[in-house]
Coordinates of all heavy atoms in Angstrom, one line a residue:
G1 N 0.8 -1.2 0.0 CA 0.0 0.0 0.0 C 0.9 1.3 0.0 O 0.5 2.2 -0.7
A2 N 1.9 1.3 0.8 CA 2.8 2.4 0.8 C 3.5 2.6 -0.6 O 3.6 3.8 -1.1 CB 3.9 2.2 1.9
L3 N 3.8 1.5 -1.3 CA 4.5 1.6 -2.6 C 3.5 2.2 -3.6 O 3.9 3.0 -4.4 CB 5.0 0.2 -3.0 CG 5.6 0.2 -4.4 CD1 6.8 1.1 -4.5 CD2 6.0 -1.2 -4.8
R4 N 2.2 1.8 -3.5 CA 1.2 2.3 -4.5 C 1.1 3.8 -4.3 O 0.9 4.6 -5.3 CB -0.1 1.6 -4.3 CG -0.2 0.2 -4.9 CD -1.6 -0.3 -5.0 NE -2.3 -0.3 -3.7 CZ -2.4 -1.3 -2.9 NH1 -1.8 -2.5 -3.2 NH2 -3.1 -1.2 -1.8
R5 N 1.1 4.2 -3.1 CA 0.9 5.7 -2.8 C 2.1 6.4 -3.3 O 2.0 7.5 -3.8 CB 0.6 5.9 -1.3 CG -0.8 5.4 -0.9 CD -0.9 5.4 0.6 NE -2.3 5.1 1.1 CZ -2.9 3.9 1.1 NH1 -2.2 2.9 0.7 NH2 -4.1 3.8 1.5
L6 N 3.3 5.9 -3.0 CA 4.5 6.6 -3.5 C 4.5 6.7 -5.0 O 4.8 7.7 -5.6 CB 5.7 5.8 -3.1 CG 7.1 6.3 -3.6 CD1 7.3 7.7 -3.2 CD2 8.2 5.4 -3.1
E7 N 4.1 5.6 -5.7 CA 4.0 5.6 -7.2 C 3.0 6.7 -7.7 O 3.2 7.3 -8.7 CB 3.6 4.2 -7.7 CG 4.8 3.2 -7.6 CD 4.4 1.8 -8.0 OE1 3.1 1.6 -8.0 OE2 5.3 1.0 -8.3
A8 N 1.9 6.8 -6.9 CA 0.9 7.8 -7.3 C 1.5 9.2 -7.3 O 1.2 10.1 -8.2 CB -0.3 7.7 -6.4
V9 N 2.3 9.6 -6.3 CA 2.9 10.9 -6.2 C 3.9 11.0 -7.4 O 3.9 12.1 -8.1 CB 3.7 11.1 -4.9 CG1 4.3 12.4 -4.8 CG2 2.7 10.9 -3.7
L10 N 4.7 10.0 -7.7 CA 5.7 10.1 -8.8 C 5.0 10.2 -10.1 O 5.4 10.9 -11.0 CB 6.6 8.9 -8.7 CG 7.4 8.7 -7.4 CD1 8.3 7.5 -7.5 CD2 8.3 10.0 -7.2
E11 N 3.9 9.5 -10.3 CA 3.1 9.6 -11.5 C 2.5 11.0 -11.7 O 2.4 11.5 -12.8 CB 2.0 8.6 -11.5 CG 2.5 7.2 -11.8 CD 1.4 6.1 -11.6 OE1 0.2 6.5 -11.3 OE2 1.7 4.9 -11.7
C12 N 2.1 11.7 -10.6 CA 1.6 13.0 -10.7 C 2.7 14.0 -11.2 O 2.5 14.8 -12.0 CB 1.1 13.5 -9.3 SG 0.4 15.1 -9.3
R13 N 3.9 13.8 -10.7 CA 5.0 14.7 -11.1 C 5.3 14.5 -12.6 O 5.5 15.4 -13.4 CB 6.3 14.3 -10.4 CG 6.3 14.6 -8.9 CD 7.7 14.4 -8.3 NE 8.7 15.3 -8.7 CZ 10.0 15.1 -8.7 NH1 10.5 14.0 -8.2 NH2 10.8 16.1 -9.1
T14 N 5.2 13.2 -13.1 CA 5.5 12.9 -14.5 C 4.4 13.5 -15.3 O 4.6 14.1 -16.4 CB 5.5 11.4 -14.7 OG1 6.6 10.8 -13.9 CG2 5.8 11.1 -16.2
A15 N 3.1 13.4 -14.9 CA 2.0 14.0 -15.6 C 2.1 15.5 -15.8 O 1.9 16.1 -16.9 CB 0.7 13.6 -15.0
I16 N 2.5 16.2 -14.7 CA 2.6 17.7 -14.8 C 3.8 18.0 -15.7 O 3.7 19.0 -16.5 CB 2.8 18.2 -13.4 CG1 1.6 18.0 -12.5 CG2 3.2 19.7 -13.4 CD1 1.7 18.4 -11.1
E17 N 4.8 17.3 -15.7 CA 6.0 17.5 -16.6 C 5.5 17.3 -18.0 O 6.1 18.0 -18.9 CB 7.1 16.6 -16.2 CG 8.4 17.0 -16.9 CD 9.0 18.3 -16.5 OE1 8.7 18.8 -15.4 OE2 9.7 19.0 -17.3
A18 N 4.6 16.5 -18.3 CA 4.0 16.2 -19.6 C 2.9 17.2 -20.0 O 2.2 17.0 -21.0 CB 3.6 14.8 -19.8
N19 N 2.8 18.3 -19.2 CA 1.8 19.4 -19.5 C 0.4 19.0 -19.2 O -0.5 19.6 -19.8 CB 2.0 19.9 -20.9 CG 3.2 20.7 -21.1 OD1 3.6 21.4 -20.1 ND2 3.8 20.7 -22.2
V20 N 0.1 18.0 -18.4 CA -1.2 17.8 -17.9 C -1.6 18.9 -16.9 O -0.7 19.4 -16.2 CB -1.3 16.4 -17.1 CG1 -2.7 16.3 -16.5 CG2 -1.1 15.3 -18.1
K21 N -2.8 19.4 -17.0 CA -3.2 20.5 -16.1 C -2.9 20.1 -14.6 O -3.3 19.0 -14.2 CB -4.7 20.8 -16.2 CG -5.1 21.4 -17.6 CD -4.6 22.9 -17.6 CE -5.1 23.5 -18.9 NZ -4.6 24.9 -19.0
P22 N -2.2 21.0 -13.9 CA -1.8 20.6 -12.5 C -3.0 20.2 -11.6 O -2.9 19.3 -10.9 CB -1.1 21.9 -12.0 CG -0.5 22.5 -13.3 CD -1.5 22.2 -14.3
R23 N -4.1 20.9 -11.8 CA -5.2 20.6 -10.9 C -5.8 19.2 -11.2 O -6.1 18.5 -10.2 CB -6.3 21.7 -11.1 CG -7.5 21.4 -10.1 CD -8.5 22.6 -10.2 NE -7.9 23.8 -9.6 CZ -7.9 24.1 -8.4 NH1 -8.4 23.3 -7.5 NH2 -7.3 25.3 -8.0
I24 N -5.9 18.9 -12.4 CA -6.4 17.5 -12.8 C -5.4 16.5 -12.3 O -5.8 15.4 -11.7 CB -6.5 17.4 -14.3 CG1 -7.6 18.4 -14.8 CG2 -6.8 16.0 -14.7 CD1 -7.8 18.4 -16.3
A25 N -4.1 16.7 -12.5 CA -3.1 15.7 -12.0 C -3.1 15.5 -10.5 O -3.0 14.4 -10.0 CB -1.7 16.1 -12.5

């Protein structure tokens, strides 16, 4: 469960870097 949550944060960083709207990410 901790790993899934960590991956969710890292995926959010990647999405914002790919120009996904920050609020949506």
